[in-house]
Amino acid sequence: MSGTLYLVPNLLGAVPPEAVLPLRTMTAARALSHWIVETPKAARAFLGTLAMPMPIGQLSIVALADASGDAGNAALLAPARNGRDMGLLSDAGCPGVADPGAQVVAAAHRAGIRVVPLVGPSAILLALMASGMNGQQFAFHGYLPQRAQAREAALARLEADSKRHAQAQIFIETPYRNVAMLESIGKVLGAGTRVCVAVDLTLAGESVIVAPAPAWRTRDLAIYARRPAIFVIQA
């Protein structure tokens, strides 16, 4: 009989796990000795906060990057095929959502391995919840282009799509480019478009601000520099 692949949400930053994660998630994680992770260093740091019954150095922790393609993903799942329960862990948030873990989940389904998603923080959903925007119709776009001209064109497309489909549009940015993103938002988006910027979700410095796009031209954007952020817009 195959083992189970547990999808274990990680914290979104430095916070006690019991402040964010439910008991079921922490209990399930503590029972696992085999892990597939996005980054081993980040995984060890997270597992170290959980009071694991086994020393972290004795856990089997394998990086997603160590395998690719169908054969590689199948190799990652060998312990589960041999009856051992496993955990899949992102660097932050929920496995398979805005991270490469989905390929392992798909491989588990192909192999007939039971997949169990555990409850934990998703910055994308937390931002949408707090935005007051359309939770019935929304789209997530990951990262927008880095170069200013391409980024501004992408923002204009998202605004048009939001108007056309009455959708909330969600995207993320590398923290050190938050200020450039907000400058583009203030420059490109119209007065009728609401913009939500959600930073440091679940952390002590958490902030969720919603304002019309032009209002971001006059705000102190420096306070958003190098902070994990989710952006939600709706026209």
Side-chain angles (χ1 to χ4, degrees), residues 9-10 19-20 23 31 36 40 54 58 65 79 87 96 104 111 120 122-123 125 147 159 161 172 182 195 199 205 210:
N10 202 337
V20 178
L23 180 60
I36 303 168
M54 181 184 296
Q58 294 182 19
V104 176
S122 166
L125 288 180
R147 295 185 179 277
E159 183 178 51
D161 287 345
I172 55 180
L182 287 166
V195 177
V199 298
V210 179

Side-chain angles (χ1 to χ4, degrees), residues 119-196:
V119 175
S122 166
I124 297 164
L125 288 180
L126 290 172
L128 178 61
M129 290 163 60
S131 71
M133 298 182 194
N134 193 346
Q136 301 292 329
Q137 295 285 340
F138 58 91
F140 174 63
H141 301 276
Y143 292 93
L144 301 192
Q146 295 182 26
R147 295 185 179 277
Q149 186 174 2
R151 180 173 61 242
E152 291 166 7
L155 285 167
R157 287 194 299 271
L158 294 188
E159 183 178 51
D161 287 345
S162 180
K163 290 178 181 177
R164 185 179 303 112
H165 303 296
Q167 280 184 335
Q169 306 290 330
I170 309 169
F171 51 94
I172 55 180
E173 184 52 281
T174 300
Y176 67 84
R177 287 199 294 266
N178 283 346
V179 172
M181 174 61 74
L182 287 166
E183 289 173 345
S184 292
I185 283 172
K187 175 182 177 181
V188 172
L189 302 184
T193 297
R194 290 177 292 154
V195 177
C196 172

Side-chain angles (χ1 to χ4, degrees), residues 62-111:
V62 181
L64 278 165
D66 290 347
S68 62
D70 292 346
N73 290 322
L76 291 176
L77 292 165
R81 291 199 308 276
N82 292 328
R84 303 298 298 268
D85 291 343
M86 303 187 71
L88 176 63
L89 185 68
S90 300
D91 284 353
C94 296
V97 179
D99 93 323
Q103 64 192 31
V104 176
V105 177
H109 286 301
R110 289 194 297 268

